[in-house]
């Protein structure tokens, strides 16, 4: 048996004033895990809480693309080898639910109109996503990593994308190894400038360090210092096979919170 645990963030740049909102999502995940729920259920439901909270750039509060559209990316991966992601899906306030439905399909990921059509077939209702104009301060991405009592780990991430990006742009959130990576014994999620995170393949590289025995914080410091170009605001969360999760951002401006079950 493992001790259940959760770590979540509200985005690089979101600032400490969003901490209580992140803690609410962590409490939802903790409650699910304490009642015997799986890491996937806990990660998805906590991510939905963050997607529904308009202060975050994910789901309802997603920033407009340059053409005024709202396009959402979301991903989920599990330590038992499953993965689901959607890219630039529209009319879907909770894209993480569609990504999670893909976990048990042959297809890993879907994009744009194809993703939305598949969501229709799966019974996910269409609904206009409110979004927010780019002149309003946008944060970046939400992410939740959970470990359940069986030691299984899941990472769920969701975003409207960075500000000032064209329709169809693909950031780090739906790209395996970039915005997220999970395998047996480790889960990592990233937030910040998606292009820099992707060029650095940040989540996979942090996971490798953790699996090689590096401490969570040390592995994040290494990634933020050595795997990124100068000036890219980026944050990370991670959770291993035991102990509490951790979060770190190079701007120190990422609200994150964690929880672990009592022994
Ligand atoms: N990190 C979110 C994005 O670049 O889309």
């Amino acid at each position: 048996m493992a001790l259940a645990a959760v770590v979540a963030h509200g985005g690089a740049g979101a600032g400490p004033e969003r901490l209580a909102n992140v803690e609410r999502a962590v409490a939802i995940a903790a409650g699910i895990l304490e009642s015997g729920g799986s890491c996937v259920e806990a990660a998805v439901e906590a991510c939905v809480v963050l997607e529904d909270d308009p202060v975050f750039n994910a789901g309802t509060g997603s920033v407009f693309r340059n053409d005024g559209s709202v396009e959402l990316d979301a991903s989920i991966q599990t330590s038992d080898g499953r993965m689901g992601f959607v890219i630039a899906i529209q009319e879907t306030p909770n894209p993480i639910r569609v990504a999670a439905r893909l976990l048990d399909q042959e297809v890993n990921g879907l994009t744009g109109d194809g993703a939305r059509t598949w969501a229709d077939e799966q019974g996910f209702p269409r609904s206009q996503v409110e979004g927010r104009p780019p002149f309003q301060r946008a944060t970046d991405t939400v992410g939740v990593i959970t470990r359940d009592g069986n030691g299984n780990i899941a990472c769920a991430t969701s975003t409207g994308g960075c500000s000032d990006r064209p329709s169809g742009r693909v950031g780090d959130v739906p790209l395996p190894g970039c915005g997220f990576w999970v395998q047996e014994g480790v889960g990592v999620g990233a937030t910040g400038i998606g292009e820099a995170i992707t060029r650095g393949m940040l989540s996979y590289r942090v996971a490798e360090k953790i699996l090689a025995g590096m401490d969570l914080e040390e592995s994040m410091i290494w990634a933020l210092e050595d795997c990124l170009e100068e000036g890219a605001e980026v944050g990370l969360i991670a959770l291993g096979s035991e102990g509490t999760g951790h979060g770190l951002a190079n701007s120190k401006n990422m609200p994150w919170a964690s929880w672990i079950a009592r022994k």
Side-chain angles (χ1 to χ4, degrees):
M1 285 296 280
L3 284 183
V6 183
V7 60
H9 72 78
E17 66 272 25
R18 310 281 191 240
L19 181 59
N21 308 53
V22 177
E23 286 171 342
R24 252 197 311 277
V26 168
I28 294 291
I32 292 169
L33 293 170
E34 284 194 306
S35 328
S38 71
C39 58
V40 170
E41 288 169 304
V44 169
E45 294 313 316
C47 193
V48 164
V49 168
L50 296 167
E51 286 178 336
D52 287 346
D53 187 334
V55 305
F56 296 116
N57 179 12
T60 301
S62 292
V63 72
F64 293 172
R65 301 293 171 112
N66 290 348
D67 64 356
S69 63
V70 182
E71 297 178 350
L72 307 163
D73 302 333
S75 63
I76 182 160
Q77 188 178 18
T78 63
S79 57
D80 62 6
R82 296 176 296 149
M83 181 187 284
F85 55 86
V86 289
I87 303 177
I89 191 171
Q90 296 191 328
E91 297 181 85
T92 311
N94 294 118
I96 193 61
R97 290 206 190 281
V98 183
R101 185 67 63 85
L102 282 163
L103 283 175
D104 296 312
Q105 306 292 320
E106 191 175 359
V107 167
N108 290 331
L110 291 166
T111 180
D113 290 345
R116 188 50 251 185
T117 300
W118 187 80
D120 291 338
E121 288 162 11
Q122 293 289 314
F124 292 101
R126 283 183 188 242
S127 165
Q128 208 57 45
V129 180
E130 199 175 312
R132 83 175 86 183
F135 56 80
Q136 287 182 11
R137 181 169 165 257
T139 61
D140 177 87
T141 308
V142 298
V144 184
I145 309 177
T146 54
R147 183 179 65 226
D148 62 29
N150 296 319
N152 293 317
I153 296 174
C155 175
T157 63
S158 185
T159 188
C162 287
S163 304
D164 195 23
R165 295 295 189 273
S167 167
R169 172 262 186 182
V170 182
D172 60 299
V173 161
L175 296 181
C178 303
F180 67 97
W181 187 254
V182 181
Q183 62 187 87
E184 206 180 322
V186 69
V188 181
T191 170
I193 304 301
E195 286 74 10
I197 294 168
T198 300
R199 284 192 289 268
M201 237 217 186
L202 225 54
S203 294
Y204 182 77
R205 291 172 77 187
V206 171
E208 271 196 316
K209 289 285 183 197
I210 294 169
L211 289 172
M214 201 184 257
D215 160 81
L216 299 187
E217 176 158 304
E218 258 181 81
S219 67
M220 291 179 190
I221 292 171
W222 168 77
L224 294 173
E225 287 180 0
D226 289 10
C227 304
L228 279 175
E229 58 241 46
E230 284 248 324
E233 187 173 22
V234 168
L236 290 158
I237 54 171
L239 184 63
S241 56
E242 52 188 37
T244 49
H246 193 69
L248 190 73
N250 54 12
S251 68
K252 313 240 181 308
N253 218 4
M254 176 184 77
W256 68 275
S258 67
W259 169 88
I260 187 162
R262 292 215 187 112
K263 283 193 185 148

